[in-house]
């Protein structure tokens, strides 16, 4: 059947319906240095294991949500709305 992602709004859908938005990181404070902003924009942790990522349901509800994905096995362990993220 292929790789499925569970959209919190639409349910399980083919992974091709989604757009990857990158790993979630904390936005720098407004008075951050140029280096802090550059790190935020360009430096990724690229962990081997569980990582929180942004996901966009491009061919469905067109909403952003958070997925918890194991980067080694590519298994999506959990999906949630941003306000549900702890």
């Amino acid at each position: 059947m292929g790789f499925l992602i569970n959209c919190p709004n639409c349910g399980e859908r083919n992974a091709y319906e989604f757009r990857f938005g990158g790993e979630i990181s904390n936005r720098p404070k407004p008075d951050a240095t140029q280096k802090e902003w550059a790190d935020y924009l360009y430096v990724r942790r690229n962990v081997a294991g569980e990582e929180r990522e942004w996901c966009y349901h491009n061919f469905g509800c067109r909403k952003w949500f958070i997925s918890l994905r194991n980067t080694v096995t590519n298994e999506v362990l959990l999906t949630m709305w941003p306000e549900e993220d702890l």
Side-chain angles (χ1 to χ4, degrees), residues 8-43:
N9 192 57
C10 303
E12 284 192 341
R13 300 288 192 268
N14 189 300
Y16 290 110
E17 291 189 16
F18 299 89
R19 189 175 103 204
F20 173 70
E23 71 182 42
I24 295 175
S25 58
N26 294 327
R27 186 178 180 93
K29 294 182 171 127
D31 61 345
T33 66
Q34 287 185 347
K35 181 181 182 330
E36 289 171 322
W37 276 106
D39 287 349
Y40 170 71
L41 293 171
Y42 301 110
V43 176

Side-chain angles (χ1 to χ4, degrees), residues 56-69:
Y56 181 68
H57 197 175
N58 196 40
F59 296 117
C61 62
R62 303 183 68 85
K63 295 184 184 222
W64 285 98
F65 61 91
I66 295 172
S67 67
L68 179 64
R69 182 176 68 92

